[in-house]
Amino acid sequence: MSVTDRVAIVTGGGRGIGRAIAVRLARGGAKVALMDVLEEPMAETVKLCTEAGSPLAKAYKLDVTDEEAIEKTLEAVNEAFGSIDILVNNAGITRDDLLMRMETRAWDLVLAVNLKGTFLMTRTASRYMMRQRRGRIVNIASVSGLAGNAGQANYSASKAGVVGLTKTTARELAARNVTANAVAPGFIRTDMTDVLPPAVKEKALANIPLRRMGEAEDVAEAVAFFASDAAAYITGQVVAVDGGMVM
Ligand code: NAI
């Protein structure tokens, strides 16, 4: 599964699943450009990527909802790294509440980061990939986007949107040898899920056939596969990494 010397952008690469993806790609020999709103954790991820064997790892402070900043940052990456071969759209947030109580602001924010951010990053990165007639786009969706989840109207809609966007991206870019696939994590142990009340965690665990929460590394393995040469003939697919929760 080679990603040697490929240039990979990982959004939300500061911590959690994004960090695990960046480190996994680094271990495969990829050059890694991290993008996150948080600078401090990104510096740590850069260190981990270098230790894992990445020939080049850099951090870029970026909000994925900022259209202009995306254009500039990707231009800077292309200058510094020489190409953009892999884009992992991982940055994501939650603002959970029951539908009847959900504030419009919470809806807008989650859709802006999770869905619009993925679109904006894809639009800009795909230009570089199409020009070089090679590219891999891997979007991080969620089982909430496949099966729905009470309390996550905004989040599940954004992630279902990511699935649709992935399939359209796959269709539009296939002729230029650019693939687009999505990984849908289930219940993964990160800062995002650490804040959930114990009762919610218990309930989720009861619905996981493999009887454990996933690790960020479990997700990273699937992403690394889609990003590699081994997945050359796979596009438009969604794979759940969820211990069997949704099947
Ligand atoms: P996390 O909260 O630990 O990390 C998310 C990262 O994204 C943070 O470093 C954060 O600073 C960054 N980020 C947030 N907004 C941003 C923005 N506007 N621009 C750039 N970076 C931004 O979350 P976690 O758990 O690592 O999640 C990563 C992805 O996996 C998300 O897309 C999430 O929706 C998805 N996911 C997570 C699951 C879980 O159980 N943890 C389950 C299913 C999906």
Side-chain angles (χ1 to χ4, degrees):
M1 286 212 293
S2 179
V3 287
T4 313
D5 285 329
R6 293 281 196 256
V7 177
I9 291 174
V10 182
T11 68
R15 67 180 197 195
I17 294 173
R19 172 179 284 176
I21 292 168
V23 171
R24 175 63 187 82
L25 294 173
R27 191 145 43 82
K31 298 172 185 165
V32 186
L34 303 161
M35 291 173 198
D36 205 301
V37 283
L38 303 175
E39 275 184 294
E40 238 174 81
M42 260 199 302
E44 176 64 17
T45 310
V46 165
K47 198 170 138 242
L48 293 171
C49 286
T50 308
E51 283 166 10
S54 177
L56 183 60
K58 276 174 173 282
Y60 296 84
K61 187 168 195 279
L62 176 78
D63 182 336
V64 296
T65 64
D66 186 340
E67 197 169 339
E68 244 176 69
I70 290 174
E71 299 272 339
K72 284 194 190 124
T73 307
L74 267 56
E75 209 177 296
V77 169
N78 192 51
E79 288 251 310
F81 289 73
S83 65
I84 296 172
D85 305 309
I86 297 164
L87 168 66
V88 183
N89 283 306
N90 164 81
I93 58 166
T94 52
R95 290 292 182 278
D96 297 353
D97 213 338
L98 290 175
L99 178 60
M100 58 184 287
R101 276 205 309 249
M102 185 170 286
E103 291 184 9
T104 311
R105 214 175 30 187
W107 173 272
D108 288 342
L109 192 59
V110 169
L111 268 289
V113 176
N114 299 6
L115 184 55
K116 190 176 173 191
T118 300
F119 157 68
L120 293 174
M121 286 297 299
T122 301
R123 188 176 63 184
T124 303
S126 65
R127 292 188 191 128
Y128 294 91
M129 294 177 177
M130 285 168 79
R131 229 177 285 142
Q132 69 198 22
R133 294 186 180 270
R134 186 187 70 213
R136 295 271 185 275
I137 298 167
V138 187
N139 295 328
I140 305 303
S142 166
V143 292
S144 290
L146 306 178
N149 193 20
Q152 290 198 311
N154 49 2
Y155 184 78
S156 62
S158 74
K159 295 299 190 176
V162 166
V163 170
L165 174 62
T166 304
K167 293 180 182 181
T168 294
T169 307
R171 286 187 188 278
E172 288 193 13
L173 305 187
R176 300 291 185 101
N177 194 31
V178 176
T179 67
N181 293 287
V183 173
F187 200 44
I188 311 295
R189 220 160 46 85
T190 66
D191 291 335
M192 189 183 265
T193 48
D194 275 352
V195 296
L196 294 172
V200 174
K201 288 190 197 173
E202 292 280 311
K203 208 172 148 210
L205 268 178
N207 290 320
I208 301 174
L210 285 175
R211 287 286 177 260
R212 67 167 175 91
M213 284 180 80
E215 300 296 330
E217 289 72 20
D218 292 318
V219 179
E221 288 299 332
V223 173
F225 170 66
F226 281 132
S228 76
D229 294 344
Y233 199 55
I234 304 176
T235 196
Q237 302 305 305
V238 185
V239 164
V241 177
D242 65 347
M245 230 170 146
V246 173
M247 60 170 95

